[in-house]
Amino acid sequence: MAYVVVFGGLGMLAGSAARVLLGRLRRGARVPPPYLELAVGSVWAGAGGWWSVGGLAAAWLPLLLGVGWLAVAAGAVDIACRRLPDALTLPALPAAVLLAVPLGGAAVGRALAGAAVLLGAHLAVRLTAPAALGAGDVKLAAALGAVLGAVSWPALLVGTLLASALTSMVALAELLARRFRPAEPGGAGGVPHGPAMLAAGWLVVAVAATGGVGTGA
């Protein structure tokens, strides 16, 4: 219980830092408190409590906490503003590789290769069908590839498919909802893909940390 409180408190501080950072960006995204604080605090409390009872190895904890923070911060911006700031997506790649270090040299190598693979795949989609993906999604794909690659090669495929499935489900739900309510003038179109990418990455790491997904080569 003590670890849950400690990690939850640290998570709330990290969520507050995310809110301040987002508000100070050149194209700021203001998220009123306490949404980010509560979201990051909950994710970190769960991960810390999970680790404290032996549910996951300590080596997975940095990656799980880091991806959780990014998922909340970047996901909030993408939902509210339909964009993923470079200030989050660009540092996310080296951060993901660094957080994979406790998992071993092989995991770091896969993280670098996974980043290249997913970046290339998303860039190809962006060039052939610009409306399908935003530039921020392409940049985020590099970090997501590093996270999933650090887990295993199968995880790279599973995470990518899961992200696409989550976005498709949200798009379908939104399409069905529009049939039962009037259109909102000036409403933003399209479903952001970033939150699904981030959620898929975190879920794959969380499952892998408990031995539910094969890790390694």
Side-chain angles (χ1 to χ4, degrees):
M1 184 62 181
Y3 284 102
V4 173
V5 174
V6 170
F7 275 87
L10 292 174
M12 292 189 70
L13 290 176
S16 179
R19 179 171 54 80
V20 172
L21 172 64
L22 295 178
R24 292 182 176 178
L25 296 179
R26 182 171 60 86
R27 296 170 62 194
R30 302 194 179 280
V31 181
Y35 299 109
L36 296 181
E37 288 86 347
L38 291 178
V40 179
S42 298
V43 170
W44 282 30
W50 199 0
W51 163 73
S52 70
V53 297
L56 59 90
W60 288 100
L61 198 55
L63 190 61
L64 198 58
L65 297 179
V67 176
W69 182 90
L70 180 65
V72 171
V77 178
D78 207 10
I79 292 172
C81 306
R82 295 296 196 270
R83 59 184 172 83
L84 289 164
D86 288 348
L88 293 179
T89 56
L90 297 183
L93 173 56
V97 175
L98 182 62
L99 293 174
V101 169
L103 298 174
V108 172
R110 288 195 308 271
L112 294 171
V117 169
L118 220 57
L119 175 62
H122 282 70
L123 182 58
V125 173
R126 170 71 175 171
L127 292 176
T128 56
L133 284 176
D137 296 327
V138 176
K139 298 170 188 175
L140 180 62
L144 179 64
V147 169
L148 297 174
V151 176
S152 67
W153 287 115
L156 190 67
L157 177 60
V158 170
T160 303
L161 294 177
L162 179 59
S164 297
L166 290 174
T167 297
S168 298
M169 290 169 58
V170 174
L172 178 60
E174 185 175 275
L175 181 63
L176 293 175
R178 285 178 181 174
R179 297 182 60 183
F180 300 100
R181 70 168 186 260
E184 297 180 5
V191 174
H193 188 45
M197 296 170 68
L198 293 158
W202 190 87
L203 286 171
V204 168
V205 173
V207 173
T210 59
V213 170
T215 59

